[in-house]
Amino acid sequence: MMTESKSKRSGMPRAFAFLLCLTGSALLGLYFGGAYYYSRHFFPNTTVGGISCGNKTADYVETRNMQAGSDYLLTVLDRKGSRFHIAGMDFDYTYLAKGEEAAILDAQKSFAWPVEIFRSHFKELDRSFTYDNLKLMKLVSRLDLFAESYIEAPEDAYLDISPEGYRIVDDVPGCTPIADAIFSKISEAVDSQETTVILSDSCYVPPEITADDPDLQNKLAKIDAYAAVSVHYEIEGVDENLTPDKIFSMLDFGEDGTVSVNETKLERFVQYLASTYNTYGDIREFKTSHGDVVRIGGGDYGWVINKAKEKAQLLEDLAGGTAVSREPIYEQRAAKSGPYDIADTYIEIDYTNQHMWYYKEGSLVVETDIVSGNISRGNGSPDGLFKIAYCQRNATLVGEDYASKVKYFMPFAYNVGIHDADWRNAFGGEIYKRSGSHGCINAPEEAARIIIDTVDIGTPVIAYYREPVQLTAENTRISNAFSYVDPEKLRQTETEP
């Protein structure tokens, strides 16, 4: 019995040892088998050159790269957003196998596989492709982006000037290709194994002038400076302005970017001012002291703009770059601004009724009968709108056949004026028709004295006839009398059949 029990107990360790040896052998076999396997296959979770190749061979990766060469397609995006495609097979795009995949696999630590299979592995691959460059360039040159019907020429930025205003119109890039630049760009993309290439601005002919061109911007700045100017003319009863749009219409724009005022156009504007607001010689409707209205013009009274000085001042205003409010520059002024410029201080002479009134600030100062020039002898007094030129006391009036001393003399129309006449004992009525003056207005001494004591130089004198007359005396010509008629033309008219 004892012998049998010992035999059974000794058999158990031997079985355990055998099992242990068997397990160890299996593990060794598994380990070496795995090492052998991963000497020919990539570890799981391995990426080589972007190709997932876990448990794959080097030949698999190489085959994939060869296939990539055959399937290669380059997409070209142009400025218009169009897409053009170039297939690798059309220019012999081929993967150049150099055994790099196998080298990467050989470098893999296969005996460390029990650990490495649980890690991620990323390997770079220096792929090389070969292609026919001449074929590639021919393919590129045949792309529609080189077609004449497809190409849009670039357009320069420019300053758009119209009656409505001005602005810089942006340049238009267009899509005129630069062949060498495009060939270079595409070659770079192919060499870099890219599948998409975007043609940059360097691949196109640019506009010569862009919106930010310094000369263009300088030109705009100059126009802006002129556009900031306005001139408001202070003329009573009217609203006259030299506005930016009018100024704009007077500018000249040189091809070299210069901006200047066209002086001829500026002179036209000044002439417009003069024609519109000069009242010198204008016909006016005048309400007489009798309450009726007469039409009278001529004479030398009224506003006169000094055109040369006004032009010079405008050039200065335009160069200033700011808004201006001022009067026109006058060569001669009247008593009141605006079209009706007589105001309420004036001397009124009614030749037909041989009467004179002097008003100061609306109040009657003097009213008197007079004796004016003898029309029948060709000495009719000048009619029109005049102004008191000066006042002289104790003057001697000299003519061709006379010399008369007067105490008070107030000329208003060349050498014709208002004065006392102590040689007369009557005034008014029709005396002027038979015994009128040589043209001056004879007034009683007291009336003449009151006028000279109170009148101001420049006071308007409105002198009129109520019936048509023809004045031919030299003083009426020189003084621009309203009813002056050229004697020569009058004689020709009278002798016509």
Side-chain angles (χ1 to χ4, degrees), residues 472-491:
T472 58
E474 182 65 6
N475 58 32
T476 62
R477 181 190 70 79
I478 295 174
S479 63
N480 190 35
F482 184 59
S483 299
Y484 170 74
V485 178
D486 185 340
E488 183 62 31
K489 291 182 179 178
L490 185 60
R491 282 192 291 273

Side-chain angles (χ1 to χ4, degrees), residues 428-457:
E430 296 188 349
I431 298 173
Y432 78 106
K433 291 183 178 180
R434 62 179 185 276
S435 182
S437 72
H438 290 87
C440 284
I441 288 73
N442 296 171
E445 182 178 323
E446 181 61 14
R449 183 192 64 77
I450 295 173
I451 294 174
I452 202 169
D453 283 346
T454 57
V455 78
D456 295 319
I457 306 302

Side-chain angles (χ1 to χ4, degrees), residues 257-271:
T258 57
V259 181
S260 59
V261 178
N262 185 306
E263 294 200 19
T264 299
K265 293 179 180 179
L266 186 62
E267 286 168 0
R268 286 181 193 149
F269 176 74
V270 173
Q271 181 58 53

